Amino acid sequence: MGKVKDILYDISDILTAFCIVVVAGIVIWVSIGHIMEYPSMVAAESQKNQENTNFGLAVPVGDDTTSEGAVTGNASTGSAVGGKGTSDSAVELYSIYINYGESTTVIAQKFVDAGLFDSVQQFNTLVTQMNAASSIKAGNFIIPANATPEEVIKKITTSPGA
């Protein structure tokens, strides 16, 4: 009788394992479409969450006569608006955000777009001359439109807000 019991137990163990494998296979087979769509869903969601088109771009933030943090110009376009100061007494300020790990070329393009440098090459040359490439900090920098290129480099090599 013991031999029959052992056979029944062995068969029930095999049948239980087989049922588990079949159920897992059915679940995977039914869900494979959703599993394969997941990467595209994540990509679409990350695209949808990128609504702030000004993130990382130079945006004028006001002048000396406005309250702290006031935004002037057309900030929704994602580009700097205005020239190097709109009047003799008011100096336009630019808020330029530098992301951690950005290359000097990307950073330079932000300053060229704001009109603080004439070219990416000018920015990179000055950074090299001042030995500042490894000292550039990440963060949001408020820079006056009339700042000299040397002042801009000094500003971005110190902590934001300093």
Side-chain angles (χ1 to χ4, degrees), residues 62-66 72 81-94 144-146:
D63 56 34
D64 293 354
T65 61
T66 61
T72 63
V81 179
K84 295 206 178 235
T86 55
S87 68
D88 292 336
S89 64
V91 175
E92 192 166 3
L93 299 175
Y94 288 100
N146 62 354

Side-chain angles (χ1 to χ4, degrees), residues 52 54-59 61 94-103 106-111 114 136-143 156 160:
N52 185 357
N54 291 331
F55 189 75
L57 300 175
V59 180
V61 293
Y94 288 100
S95 173
I96 299 177
Y97 190 85
I98 298 175
N99 293 305
Y100 180 79
E102 279 185 327
S103 69
V106 172
I107 296 168
Q109 189 60 52
K110 291 178 186 181
F111 288 106
I136 296 174
K137 307 290 186 204
N140 191 37
F141 296 90
I142 308 297
I143 300 175
I156 65 173

Side-chain angles (χ1 to χ4, degrees), residues 6-23:
D6 290 341
I7 292 173
L8 285 176
Y9 284 136
D10 289 343
I11 291 175
S12 68
D13 288 345
I14 292 171
L15 286 176
T16 302
F18 181 74
C19 288
I20 290 171
V21 169
V22 168
V23 169

Side-chain angles (χ1 to χ4, degrees), residues 85 101 128:
T128 303

Side-chain angles (χ1 to χ4, degrees), residues 24-128:
I26 290 171
V27 168
I28 291 172
W29 182 70
V30 169
S31 302
I32 194 75
H34 297 293
I35 293 169
M36 297 305 286
E37 290 175 4
Y38 183 74
S40 61
M41 287 175 24
V42 169
E45 188 65 30
S46 69
Q47 285 285 338
K48 193 183 339 175
N49 289 338
Q50 293 180 352
E51 293 176 9
N52 185 357
T53 59
N54 291 331
F55 189 75
L57 300 175
V59 180
V61 293
D63 56 34
D64 293 354
T65 61
T66 61
S67 63
E68 184 84 22
V71 176
T72 63
N74 185 0
S76 64
T77 63
S79 63
V81 179
K84 295 206 178 235
T86 55
S87 68
D88 292 336
S89 64
V91 175
E92 192 166 3
L93 299 175
Y94 288 100
S95 173
I96 299 177
Y97 190 85
I98 298 175
N99 293 305
Y100 180 79
E102 279 185 327
S103 69
T104 56
T105 304
V106 172
I107 296 168
Q109 189 60 52
K110 291 178 186 181
F111 288 106
V112 169
D113 292 344
L116 296 168
F117 282 88
D118 295 329
S119 68
V120 172
Q121 181 64 31
Q122 178 192 16
F123 178 89
N124 285 332
T125 301
L126 188 57
V127 166
T128 303

